[in-house]
Structures are given as C-alpha cells and as structure tokens.
Amino acid sequence: MNEAATAAARALLARALRVVVFTGAGVSAESGVPAFRGAGGLWKTFRPEDLATPVAFGRDPRLVWEWYAWRREMVARCRPNPAHLALARWITGRAGVTLVSQNVDDLHERAAREVAADAEAQRAAPIKLHGSLFHDHCTRCRHRVEAGPVDASSVPGLPHCPLCGGLMRPGVVWFGEMLPVRAVEAALAAAADAEACLVVGTRGAVYPAAGVVHTAKAAGARVAVVDPGETEFDDLADVKLVGPAGEIVPQIVG
Ligand code: BV8
Ligand code: ZN
C-alpha cells in the first residue's frame, strides 16, 4: 500500500470536522457479496440492470423474486468485513461522520451492532439511498413488512400483502424509480456540509446517488477514493488509494 497516500488520507479525514462517507458494492466484496455490475454481477444469464426494474417485475414477478430470494440468502450468510467494522468503530468513536450507502445488503448495520450498543449503533447506521433487501412493501397499499421466507416456485406462492392481498415486492429502488426523498435530502445535506468525503468501493456510475460525491466536492470537501479499479470519481479525488477496502479502510480511519 502506498504509505504517502495512506498518510495523506488519514490526515485529510482526521482534520475534517464533518465527513461524508459514500459506499458501494465494493465495500462488501470481501464479505462475499458479488459486485453489481461487471463479470461478478451476472445471475444465471441475466444482468442485474435487466432484473432490477419495475418492467421486469411486471413481466415476470416470479423470476425477479427468485433473484432477490437468492441474494437475501447469500447476504444472510455473509459477515461484515474489516472495512465495515472499521467504519462503524470510527463513526461511533468520533462526531461529525455521516455514512451514505447505495448497498441494499445490511452489512453496515450489522457491523454497527457488532461494535456498539443500540443508541451508539444507530449513529453508524447508513443513510440507504437504494433501499434494503430485508424488507418488502405491498405493490398496492405500500404496507411494509420485514422480509420473510420466499417461495418463488409459482406466482400464487409469492409474498402477498397481509392487509390487502396485493403482491409484495422487495423494498429496493429499481432503475427508473425515484429514490426515497428523505434519504436523498439527508445525504445531500451532509455532502454540502462536509469538509472531507471518503468514497469506498463504488464505480460512481449510478445516478442520482453519485451526485452525493459531486455535491461534496463542489462544496469544497477534499475527496479520498478507495478502490482497486478505476472509478468515475478518480478525476475529482485528492487522494486515490488503490486496493481492497478491507485492507485500506482500517489503515485510514482506525
Ligand atoms: C432514477 C437497488 C428517475 C436494486 C440499485 C444520469 C445519468 C445517467 C443515467 C441516469 C441518470 N439519472 C438516472 C439515470 C438512470 C439510472 C442510472 O443511473 N443508470 C446508470 C446504470 C447509467 N438511475 C436510475 O434509474 C435511478 N432512478 O433515475 O429515477 C426518476 C425520477 C423521477 C421519477 C421517476 C424516476 C435509480 C437507480 C437505483 C437502482 N438500484 N440498487 C438492487 O440492488 O437490486 S443500483 C445498484 O447498482 C447498487 O445499489 C449501486 O448503486 C449500483 C452498483 O454500483 P456500485 O455500487 O458502484 O457497484 P459496481 O459493481 O458497479 O462497482 C463496484 C466497485 O467496487 C468497482 O469500482 C470495483 O472496482 C470496486 N471493488 C471491487 N472489489 C473491491 C472494490 N472496492 C473496494 N474493495 C474491494 N475489495
Ligand atoms: Zn397491501
């Protein structure tokens, strides 16, 4: 690991009174959660972008539910990695850090619960821009429930609403759908107020989520990017740390 870049990132983050952290699929890669796009993202023969849409769900809800049931079971078997845990310890150990994530896995939340008691853990829970794999809502009355077992063998067997009988859908934001307004507002407010922005494991290709980093940069924040590959934020990065989050993040926030 490039010592100078690590030292620069540590200093950049330590001296900032207010920091926004923005994460993507890469922060969960070392936990065994496949990335969303690129080679690792493929499920059977489908690209995630083709399944994570209201059109795909309308066309074949059984297939889309089978995919989400598979992802849920897979993520439930995963554990937070050193990057999730280091971020949770850092955020509960100091003031002024806001965690914003695109991830629908619950590994940031689980890391927070592992390192701190409830009240404290709440401070390290992320603002989730794209929803969660672990709750569903009704397509008719929007009633929300905690995720349960899914029988994706037939449409009648799929989860249905206990209140109105409508078909339930995963509580995630699909392509072409609006993001949760309060989450976007809270994330952009934290970005506009940040003196530093730490980006971990995201290509930065999905909007409006990627706008969080551009907002922070435009507000004068210094930006550190952690990623083994190229990202769309590399040009605006003040420090780029090339490598896996599980190795690098504990070194810059620990
Ligand atoms: C909307 C939930 C409008 C579902 C997700 C402007 C420009 C261009 C396009 C658009 C635009 N505005 C809107 C669009 C369209 C679209 C979009 O952005 N398309 C992209 C693909 C071009 N956006 C939308 O559709 C959004 N909605 O715009 O609505 C609207 C307005 C009004 C009214 C109605 C509608 C909604 C987008 C949200 C989609 N849902 N997830 C589910 O999960 O099933 S997005 C999903 O994909 C993730 O949440 C995440 O956001 C994204 C994946 O991106 P990354 O996290 O970056 O992951 P990726 O695999 O790409 O990269 C991983 C990175 O990690 C890599 O850089 C890799 O090198 C790195 N890495 C790997 N290993 C490690 C690592 N890093 C560190 N350590 C390691 N070990
Ligand atoms: Zn309902």
Side-chain angles (χ1 to χ4, degrees), residues 7-232:
R10 272 186 80 78
L12 181 160
L13 295 169
R15 70 167 160 260
L17 291 178
R18 291 175 306 286
V19 181
V20 64
V21 181
F22 184 70
T23 68
V27 78
S28 297
E30 291 150 88
S31 297
V33 179
F36 204 84
R37 298 147 58 124
L42 211 56
W43 179 71
K44 293 189 176 177
T45 58
F46 301 94
R47 291 177 330 138
E49 293 94 312
D50 302 335
L51 286 169
T53 69
V55 174
F57 189 71
R59 189 177 44 230
D60 189 343
R62 194 207 61 69
L63 176 70
V64 172
W65 259 119
E66 190 185 351
W67 182 48
Y68 280 96
W70 172 75
R71 290 173 66 188
R72 253 188 213 160
E73 278 153 35
M74 185 248 311
V75 169
R77 286 196 300 273
C78 296
R79 297 189 42 62
N81 66 55
H84 297 111
L85 295 167
L87 286 169
R89 282 196 195 91
W90 185 52
I91 296 169
T92 51
R94 61 157 281 176
V97 182
T98 303
L99 175 59
V100 178
S101 188
Q102 301 167 86
N103 298 347
V104 295
D105 65 44
D106 62 346
L107 295 176
H108 280 306
E109 291 88 334
R110 284 161 57 189
R113 289 197 295 274
E114 270 187 38
V115 305
D118 284 0
E120 278 299 291
Q122 206 36 51
R123 274 201 315 115
I127 296 172
K128 298 178 82 67
L129 295 178
H130 295 160
S132 166
L133 279 174
F134 296 97
H135 71 256
D136 309 335
H137 61 251
C138 174
T139 55
R140 195 185 296 159
C141 74
R142 304 222 29 105
H143 176 61
R144 178 188 152 123
V145 298
E146 289 308 311
V150 175
D151 163 9
S153 59
S154 71
V155 172
L158 294 176
H160 282 76
C161 178
L163 300 189
C164 76
L167 181 61
M168 300 296 282
R169 55 160 286 176
V172 298
V173 178
W174 282 327
F175 288 97
E177 290 189 323
M178 280 253 286
L179 277 57
V181 176
R182 277 205 309 279
V184 173
E185 285 171 351
L188 292 177
D193 198 30
E195 293 167 359
C197 175
L198 173 60
V199 180
V200 183
T202 178
R203 193 98 53 118
V206 174
Y207 283 79
V212 167
V213 178
H214 295 287
T215 299
K217 184 72 179 180
R222 298 187 28 86
V223 177
V225 172
V226 177
D227 198 296
E230 288 183 0
T231 80
E232 308 210 355

